Amino acid sequence: MRLSGNIMADATIRRAISLVGFPAWVGAVVLTLLTAGCATVEREPRPPVFYPPLPNPPRIQYLATFSQARDAGDKPSGFAEFVLGKETPDSDSVRKPYGVAIHEGKILVADTRGNGYAQFDLVAKRFDFILGRGGGAMQKPINITVDRDGTRYVTDTGRNQILSFDRNNKFLKAYGVKDQFKPSDVAVSDNRLYVVDLQHHQIHVLDKASGKTMGKLGKAGSKDGELFQPTNIALGPDNHLYVTDTGNFRVQKLTLDGQFVASYGSIGSGIGKFARPKGVALDRDGRLYVVDAAFENVQVFDRDGKLLMFFGAPGEAPESINLPTVVTIDYDNVRLFQKYAEPKFQLEYVILVASQFGANKVNAYGFGRMEGIDYSVVDRAAERTR
């Protein structure tokens, strides 16, 4: 361990002093002593965690965890923790997340136990928790999807509706009527919302503006194109839908009008098998990321369904994932995460994974390349799969 003379900003210390009710003159003395050079203790940095590990050509690095207000960048001083304690209020933390999205530097996390969604603003270094009011009050938010214009679509299984909020978190409207569906996820394609219905084992297609039903995809069953307890959905770069067919232990690829194209995975404990598949996401090269809540990892497939690698494991380490639910891929905010990466590891995109249990609620990983390492063999193998 090493010592550092850096103390957090005076404003944080003054706030901590005022909250415990010290007289002003006492606070002034304490503040003077603290800023006169009292040292805080910093832990030695942990070595970076890569998948696959060195000396293999690494493709993914664990970057950071976002679980509470301080993770947005505004960390309290050691003195503030001494006065106020290290416990984080529920309003300043994520309790039991499911869905996660990112837009314009803001990580958005649907908190099933917090009855709202958290917002980690990485630019302003600010944390907010949005509960919604009136018609936008949330009961059990499960997933959150962000449209290109910043509109947030929250699937709420307590209300059995989809709630939309604008980029400033102002409630806009609710989609769905009584007994219409039990929504677990939403994908947005132009003027349509594709709503996964956990109860009726199908996908509802809604007009984004009016909320009117435009059609339904799939039905209960286990044949190609049929669904049983679908949970998550993603729109791929090929403009196809990828649906986690959880009850059938697979991911199905469908056209926008519901025609079956392909299936990935099956029940089992071997490589490329699933026990409880949940979140699904795709990168621009068509690599398919699938969360398995039972195996507590993320499996990565090529576009033909061949397993390329997997990462993540349960535990207490910062990179651990415990009962993971959703995976999200983002290219637009890489610059905000590059600082967490090994200096020679250049990020191409960011991967966010939510966990319902453990201290790590949302983990950020980066997909990239290490300078000075030959990736030609990896690249040739990738070309053969295209």
Side-chain angles (χ1 to χ4, degrees), residues 15-341:
R15 185 168 64 250
I17 292 171
S18 65
L19 286 174
V20 296
F22 286 161
W25 68 270
V26 174
V29 171
V30 172
L31 182 60
T32 300
L33 291 173
L34 284 170
T35 56
C38 296
T40 58
V41 178
E42 294 183 358
R43 296 184 182 276
E44 289 290 347
R46 298 174 68 251
V49 177
F50 291 105
Y51 309 90
L54 295 168
N56 301 288
R59 298 317 306 259
I60 294 174
Q61 181 186 349
Y62 163 74
L63 302 176
T65 294
F66 299 90
S67 302
Q68 51 191 332
R70 68 180 66 193
D71 298 327
D74 185 14
K75 299 184 179 181
S77 67
F79 178 74
E81 286 189 341
F82 169 75
V83 173
L84 301 174
K86 293 185 178 181
E87 294 297 323
T88 303
D90 288 341
S91 59
D92 288 344
S93 63
V94 178
R95 299 171 64 188
K96 192 175 182 181
Y98 191 106
V100 60
I102 183 170
H103 183 260
E104 295 183 341
K106 299 179 179 68
I107 299 174
L108 306 166
V109 187
D111 191 345
T112 61
R113 190 170 291 171
N115 299 336
Y117 62 88
Q119 177 175 280
F120 295 86
D121 189 331
L122 305 184
V123 177
K125 297 183 178 180
R126 174 188 172 96
F127 176 91
D128 293 290
F129 199 91
I130 292 84
L131 292 171
R133 296 181 180 179
M138 289 168 269
Q139 295 181 16
K140 191 175 181 180
I142 295 294
N143 251 313
I144 185 165
T145 302
V146 184
D147 203 351
R148 285 177 298 216
D149 63 359
T151 302
R152 293 92 158 94
Y153 294 94
V154 179
T155 50
D156 191 316
T157 57
R159 293 181 50 159
N160 284 338
Q161 290 183 311
I162 300 104
L163 310 179
S164 63
F165 300 82
D166 68 13
R167 63 191 308 123
N168 297 313
N169 303 307
K170 179 182 177 182
F171 174 65
L172 297 175
K173 64 181 301 181
Y175 298 82
V177 296
K178 184 178 180 181
D179 299 327
Q180 183 177 358
F181 42 54
K182 189 178 184 68
S184 58
D185 200 7
V186 172
V188 183
S189 178
D190 296 327
N191 66 331
R192 296 183 177 188
L193 301 180
Y194 289 85
V195 182
V196 177
D197 185 352
L198 184 63
Q199 182 177 1
H200 300 104
H201 315 289
Q202 58 187 186
I203 299 168
H204 297 249
V205 186
L206 307 183
D207 179 77
K208 188 165 64 174
S210 67
K212 181 181 178 180
T213 298
M214 302 175 68
K216 298 178 183 180
L217 312 180
K219 63 178 182 178
S222 58
K223 297 178 181 178
D224 291 346
E226 297 179 343
L227 304 166
F228 186 65
Q229 295 181 336
T231 54
N232 294 79
I233 190 170
L235 181 66
D238 54 3
N239 211 34
H240 283 72
L241 300 172
Y242 292 78
V243 185
T244 308
D245 191 7
T246 303
N248 286 319
F249 310 98
R250 63 187 179 184
V251 172
Q252 291 200 69
K253 178 181 179 180
L254 307 174
T255 64
L256 293 180
D257 60 0
Q259 297 300 309
F260 173 81
V261 177
S263 179
Y264 304 85
S266 59
I267 187 171
S269 58
I271 294 177
K273 303 291 185 178
F274 296 129
R276 200 186 309 159
K278 288 290 186 71
V280 59
L282 293 98
D283 69 11
R284 291 174 180 171
D285 291 321
R287 285 181 285 257
L288 177 71
Y289 287 69
V290 185
V291 168
D292 196 300
F295 296 152
E296 297 181 292
N297 64 11
V298 181
Q299 301 188 61
V300 187
F301 300 83
D302 67 15
R303 63 185 63 197
D304 295 321
K306 177 183 177 182
L307 182 69
L308 300 175
M309 64 176 293
F310 64 87
F311 66 94
E316 298 181 0
E319 68 273 12
S320 300
I321 54 178
N322 298 277
L323 198 62
T325 52
V326 164
V327 57
T328 297
I329 289 175
D330 177 75
Y331 287 82
D332 299 330
N333 299 276
V334 170
R335 62 181 179 82
L336 299 173
F337 292 88
Q338 186 63 57
K339 64 182 180 181
Y340 298 109

